[in-house]
Amino acid sequence: MTSPVTYQCQDGIGVITIDNPPVNALGQAVRQGLMDAVVQGNGDPEAQVLVLVARGRTFIAGADIREFGKPPQAPILPEVIACLESSTKPIVAVLHGTALGGGLEVALGCQLRVALPDTQLGLPEVKLGLLPGAGGTQRLPRLTGIEAALDLITSGRFASAGEALELGIVDAVLEHDSPLEAGLAAARDVIDGRQTPRITGELPPPAAAPEAIECIRARLEAEVPDLFSPFRCVDAIAASSEGSLAEGLRRERELFLECMDSPQRAGLIHAFFAARAPHKVPDAGEAPAVTRIALLGEHHLFPLLKAKADRAGFELSDRPDDDTQACLVAPGADTACPAHCLRIALLSPSEAEDLDATGSAMALIVPDHQGMAELVTLSADPDQQQAVANTLKALRQGIVVSRRGSLLAALDKAVRDDRPNPNAAMDAASLMLASRGWAYRDSDIDLLAIEALDYPRHLGGPHRQATLGGHAL
């Protein structure tokens, strides 16, 4: 089997290339390939500097989701990063697209980091109930200081290449046509003495910042008191200033394993997978998006769709014509939808409690505060529903597909009928909905509850809770 990581020498520069489409995820073969390539590069007498690049649209976008929930396979990521950091020859990491989670931790293990201007960097593990478990909480503060590391890691937000340069995460932002060109240029700067590589783990520990630590704890207590991992992130970052790198890494590992054992981690992972393809209609073919739509009447959704239409290559009009493929009809619209068009009724959750198939191929259920919407097929076939779902997704509208009746309307009614106990009401409603067969996937019920009705994400959704026995986490 061909390794997704290769090595070759170009004019005294050893090039390590990751090619693991679509996002160069850090699966076992990539981890092993990285270690093998570093050994090969260090043993190459012609190579003075090593460059780490990735093919495709992104650097390393994080862990391989196919390994989630499975026993770890050697080498684990901390071992890979230790190998990078101990390289006898400096390694230049070239970031482009995204460098997220373990991908950024890999870059932190290299001796120099450069980025293309469009790069986004981040450690978003907290959003999955985890913390960066391969040295991110220890190496990042050595570059940015405690306060900036707290901000990035506890929020899980992305930083631009420019911000990363200001914070010291990357050493340069380079305008080049490709990551390889940027990497070769940076390597020549190292060879010629214009750039000085440094080992992140050997930098001095960051200065203690007790006020920043207490401030972030107070903010988390106010904003997310029920969450587990953000507070462990704070503890791990605080440890970066209290001793050696090895001591900090041990503490990070302890806290990482605590997060792994937390039920919240399982709930957040469930929500993550639920959000991966909720617009997909089972049994639908490769349906092309509907590109010509008439928006009939007045609705708060229409300006948002129009704002995205030109960039997506769609034509949204106020009146249908012979080329119109579908009509999105707001309540009370006084313009008729021609017979050759798909008619999609636009409804609020309360208006969708008793859907009538007469006259409409589909219904689009949109909460008053926007958020995730639901596309229910009434008389449309799977390919037609998929075509409209593809359009809405391209227009940046979060969408869940369903059939015959509205999941969102039923969940919303359950909340309105039992306002003191909305989560319990949705738990009960979710079992009823699953039995009716309106959902293509039970996880779609969970996703709508989380994204449209504020069900706690860390619980994973009402159907998950109901089938677990409803135990709070």
Side-chain angles (χ1 to χ4, degrees), residues 164-421:
L165 181 62
E166 291 177 5
L167 292 174
I169 303 172
V170 299
D171 299 281
V173 177
L174 302 180
E175 293 270 5
H176 284 278
D177 291 337
S178 71
L180 179 58
E181 288 182 15
L184 294 174
R188 292 187 199 100
D189 286 342
V190 172
I191 292 170
D192 295 339
R194 292 187 295 270
Q195 279 277 21
T196 303
R198 54 185 181 165
I199 298 172
T200 309
E202 292 183 359
L203 295 175
E211 291 184 4
I213 295 287
E214 290 311 309
C215 181
I216 196 72
R217 285 192 201 281
R219 183 172 67 78
L220 293 172
E221 287 286 0
E223 295 178 359
V224 289
D226 296 331
L227 296 189
F228 186 82
S229 66
F231 296 95
R232 275 68 197 172
C233 290
V234 175
D235 292 342
I237 296 166
S240 69
S241 67
E242 296 171 356
S244 68
L245 177 69
E247 291 169 336
L249 291 175
R250 280 195 293 272
R251 181 60 176 147
E252 177 190 83
R253 197 67 188 168
E254 291 171 358
L255 293 164
F256 177 80
L257 293 175
E258 287 182 18
C259 291
M260 285 291 290
D261 288 341
S262 167
Q264 290 189 6
R265 191 265 312 175
L268 289 164
I269 293 288
H270 175 81
F272 170 80
F273 278 106
R276 284 186 52 75
H279 72 293
K280 289 293 186 181
V281 180
D283 302 324
E286 295 295 324
V290 175
T291 58
R292 294 182 176 87
I293 303 176
L295 308 179
L296 307 185
E298 300 289 335
H299 196 275
H300 62 83
L301 178 65
F302 290 169
L304 301 175
L305 297 180
K306 289 179 179 179
K308 307 290 186 182
D310 287 343
R311 179 172 292 184
F314 297 145
E315 181 182 313
L316 304 186
S317 63
D318 295 327
R319 290 191 173 276
D321 59 26
D322 291 343
D323 295 325
T324 302
Q325 297 168 283
C327 297
L328 190 52
V329 186
D334 59 4
T335 303
C337 179
H340 70 273
C341 296
L342 286 170
R343 187 181 192 280
I344 306 163
L346 183 55
L347 304 170
S348 69
S350 60
E351 292 167 334
E353 287 179 21
D354 296 306
L355 283 177
D356 182 358
T358 304
S360 293
M362 286 168 266
L364 181 63
I365 320 303
V366 181
D368 292 338
H369 63 282
Q370 199 56 29
M372 185 70 69
E374 179 188 12
L375 181 67
V376 186
T377 183
L378 302 173
S379 61
D381 63 40
D383 286 351
Q384 290 173 322
Q385 186 183 23
Q386 188 64 73
V388 174
N390 290 344
T391 299
L392 293 166
K393 185 173 186 292
L395 293 171
R396 299 292 187 265
Q397 170 59 56
I399 194 73
V400 168
V401 290
S402 60
R403 56 195 170 190
R404 298 195 294 276
S406 172
L407 309 172
L408 184 53
L411 292 169
D412 181 72
K413 183 177 187 302
V415 170
R416 286 186 281 110
D417 288 349
D418 191 0
R419 292 191 183 278
N421 301 290

Side-chain angles (χ1 to χ4, degrees), residues 77-87 109 139:
L77 190 56
E79 295 169 341
V80 176
I81 294 170
C83 174
L84 294 166
E85 196 163 61
S86 63
S87 172
R139 292 185 178 92

Side-chain angles (χ1 to χ4, degrees), residues 7 14 16 36-45 47-48 50 87-89:
Y7 173 84
I16 300 170
D36 293 344
V38 170
V39 171
Q40 188 175 354
N42 281 319
D44 184 349
Q48 301 177 63
L50 308 181
S87 172
T88 57
K89 296 175 182 178

Side-chain angles (χ1 to χ4, degrees), residues 457-470:
R457 183 178 298 273
H458 66 274
L459 298 181
H463 189 266
R464 181 178 185 276
Q465 279 299 296
T467 53
L468 285 175

